[in-house]
Amino acid sequence: MAIIVRRIQRMDVNNGLVDVLNNLSPTSDAKRLARTYWQWSKGRKAVYVAIDDSINKVIGTGSIFIEHKPTHDPSKPVGHIEDVVVLKSREKEGVGTKIMQALIAHAKSFYCRKIILSCTLDNTSYYAKFGFVSSEVSMRLDL
C-alpha cells in the first residue's frame, strides 16, 4: 500500500473526500462541502489529499492558505494550515504526517516566514512533532 499526497483534483470530490470530511465535521451536506474544497483549491488556498494507491481512494486531506501581510515584508508571507483530517479507520498509519509534510513544503515553496494553525489542546503534542509551539491565544466569535 502506497500513500500518495498531492493537490486535490476534481475527481477526488466523489472518490472518498466526502467520507474524510465527515470525520472533520459531520454535516448533512458533506457533498457540498467537498465541492467547496475543490473550488477553494483554485484560489489562494491549496488543498492536498492523501490517496491510498491500492484502492485509489482519498483517505485524508489538509489545506493551507498563504497570506501576504501588508505590515510585514511581502516576500515573507504567512501560511495558515487548516482542516487536517484522516479517515478514523486509517489513523496511526502515518497519513496525517504525510499530509503535514506536504503542507509545510508548500509553505516553504512560498518562502513563508511562519506557519500558523489552530487545534484542540488534545492535538498540540501531535503538531509539536513537526516543530509547532504554542504561541499566544486563539479566540473566535461564532456568528
Side-chain angles (χ1 to χ4, degrees):
M1 161 190 69
I3 305 298
I4 299 166
V5 177
R6 60 165 169 72
R7 296 285 294 265
I8 192 172
Q9 297 174 5
R10 187 178 189 99
M11 66 183 176
D12 298 325
V13 171
N14 296 313
N15 195 27
L17 183 61
V18 172
D19 296 329
V20 171
L21 293 176
N22 267 326
N23 282 346
L24 179 66
S25 178
T27 176
S28 60
D29 199 1
K31 195 161 219 151
R32 180 193 56 78
L33 182 60
R35 284 192 303 268
T36 300
Y37 262 58
W38 163 246
Q39 291 300 322
W40 282 343
S41 71
K42 297 179 187 177
R44 293 189 299 170
K45 187 171 202 158
V47 179
Y48 284 80
V49 292
I51 307 289
D52 180 337
D53 197 30
S54 66
I55 58 173
N56 197 32
K57 288 272 188 194
V58 176
I59 59 170
T61 188
S63 62
I64 185 164
F65 172 76
I66 306 299
E67 178 186 21
H68 295 274
K69 299 213 156 268
T71 55
H72 292 85
D73 180 350
S75 67
K76 301 280 187 186
V78 175
H80 298 268
I81 290 179
E82 299 179 319
D83 303 333
V84 177
V85 61
V86 175
L87 277 176
K88 292 229 181 279
S89 62
R90 301 305 295 268
E91 289 178 351
K92 310 288 188 221
E93 295 181 19
V95 177
T97 296
K98 289 184 178 200
I99 293 168
M100 285 298 296
Q101 290 168 340
L103 297 172
I104 292 167
H106 185 90
K108 287 179 178 179
S109 76
F110 279 85
Y111 302 100
C112 288
R113 62 186 176 87
K114 67 181 176 180
I115 303 171
I116 300 169
L117 63 79
S118 294
C119 67
T120 63
L121 287 175
D122 293 343
N123 287 333
T124 55
S125 62
Y126 175 76
Y127 292 111
K129 291 189 249 179
F130 301 99
F132 286 85
V133 296
S134 294
S135 176
E136 302 176 6
V137 175
S138 176
M139 298 178 71
R140 74 181 199 191
L141 172 63
D142 291 333
L143 301 175

